[in-house]
Amino acid sequence: ETGVTQSPTHLIKTRGQQVTLRCSSQSGHNTVSWYQQALGQGPQFIFQYYREEENGRGNFPPRFSGLQFPNYSSELNVNALELDDSALYLCASSPWAGESYEQYFGPGTRLTVT
Amino acid sequence: AQRVTQPEKLLSVFKGAPVELKCNYSYSGSPELFWYVQYSRQRLQLLLRHISRESIKGFTADLNKGETSFHLKKPFAQEEDSAMYYCALLPPLGAGSYQLTFGKGTKLSVIP
C-alpha cells in the first residue's frame, strides 16, 4: 500500500508569482484535503476534493484553487503569492468524504515566499 | 463557527508521571472529536477518536459535552510519548461539512 506523497519537498518563490503543489493520494482513497500550516499553528483547512469535485472550502481567498484528477491525485495552485503564504502545505487523503476523520497525511511541501 | 483551543503550547512531565493534554471546542451541535499526533520526523497521524472509546498507546480521551472538552490522558508517561499533539473537530455526518478543524497543538516533552 503506497502512502500519500507530495512534491516538491521545498520551494522558494517570489511575491506575486504562482505555485503548483502536487499530491498523490493513498491507494484506494478518493478524497483529498489540503491544509496550510503556518509556523507554530495547527493545520488550517483549505479545501477538500471528492471524486474530482470541490467538496468544501475553508476561509481562504479564491487565489487558492485546486484540482483533482481521475486517479484521485490532486494539485493546489496559489496565485499572486504573498509573504504570508509561507507555510507548510499538507495534503491528506481519506477513503471517502464521509470518513474524513481518518486522514492520512503526506510529508508536506515547505513553501517560502520572499 | 467551529473552533478548537489547546491552552498549552508546551507540556513537560517526568517519565512515569500522569499526563493530561487539554482541549476545548466550540461548535453548535454534536461534533466528532479526535486527537492527532506527530512524532519527530514523522507524519501527522490519527491517535484516537471519541466515538471508538479506545485506549491507544495507553491514552484515553473522554468527551465532556457540558464543558465542551476532550482532554487526552495517560496515567504514566513514557519517553516515546514525546511528540506534538493536536486536537481536532469534525462536524457530524449529515452536517454537510467535512472540514476538519485543528487546534494549535501541544508539544509534550517527557523528561527521563
Side-chain angles (χ1 to χ4, degrees):
Chain A
E1 187 177 78
T2 307
V4 177
T5 60
Q6 291 186 245
S7 63
T9 305
H10 301 90
L11 76 165
I12 300 172
K13 289 287 189 177
T14 304
R15 191 170 48 183
Q17 285 187 317
Q18 178 266 342
V19 70
T20 297
L21 310 182
R22 294 178 175 83
C23 170
S24 291
S25 59
Q26 184 156 317
S27 176
H29 290 185
N30 60 24
T31 303
V32 172
S33 301
W34 285 92
Y35 296 86
Q36 180 194 67
Q37 187 172 20
L39 205 59
Q41 305 292 316
Q44 191 173 357
F45 179 79
I46 302 175
F47 42 55
Q48 183 183 84
Y49 277 83
Y50 171 57
R51 291 186 174 179
E52 303 177 58
E53 299 280 336
E54 188 178 288
N55 188 45
R57 188 178 185 93
N59 190 25
F60 280 81
R63 59 189 186 84
F64 285 78
S65 63
L67 278 175
Q68 188 179 31
F69 300 99
N71 66 354
Y72 304 128
S73 65
S74 177
E75 287 182 355
L76 164 65
N77 298 290
V78 188
N79 293 322
L81 283 167
E82 301 176 0
L83 296 179
D84 284 349
D85 296 333
S86 294
L88 181 68
Y89 287 85
L90 295 168
C91 164
S93 72
S94 46
W96 68 287
E99 290 184 24
S100 291
Y101 64 87
E102 182 134 28
Q103 302 205 4
Y104 294 79
F105 281 83
T109 293
R110 173 75 60 189
L111 172 65
T112 302
V113 182
T114 62
Chain B
Q2 56 200 65
R3 189 169 63 245
V4 175
T5 303
Q6 294 179 249
E8 303 137 329
K9 287 184 86 168
L10 174 65
L11 182 65
S12 296
V13 301
F14 285 101
K15 179 181 172 182
V19 175
E20 183 178 49
L21 300 170
K22 291 184 167 54
C23 171
N24 288 89
Y25 67 92
S26 173
Y27 184 80
S28 55
S30 297
E32 288 202 60
L33 275 296
F34 313 94
W35 278 97
Y36 274 77
V37 62
Q38 186 167 27
Y39 300 103
S40 179
R41 290 184 292 278
Q42 292 189 28
R43 304 177 183 198
L44 195 58
Q45 59 186 290
L46 179 66
L47 178 63
L48 56 80
R49 59 189 293 218
H50 86 273
I51 282 180
S52 63
R53 295 182 170 271
E54 291 175 299
S55 172
I56 306 291
K57 298 185 179 183
F59 284 98
T60 58
D62 289 322
L63 179 60
N64 186 322
K65 292 185 179 180
E67 296 182 358
T68 59
S69 68
F70 187 57
H71 304 327
L72 184 67
K73 299 177 184 178
K74 184 170 183 177
F76 308 104
Q78 303 298 315
E79 288 180 66
E80 55 266 29
D81 296 330
S82 294
M84 196 74 187
Y85 291 81
Y86 295 94
C87 184
L89 176 154
L90 186 70
L93 201 59
S97 169
Y98 301 104
Q99 178 172 335
L100 191 60
T101 297
F102 288 86
K104 292 186 178 182
T106 297
K107 184 174 182 179
L108 175 64
S109 177
V110 180
I111 305 163

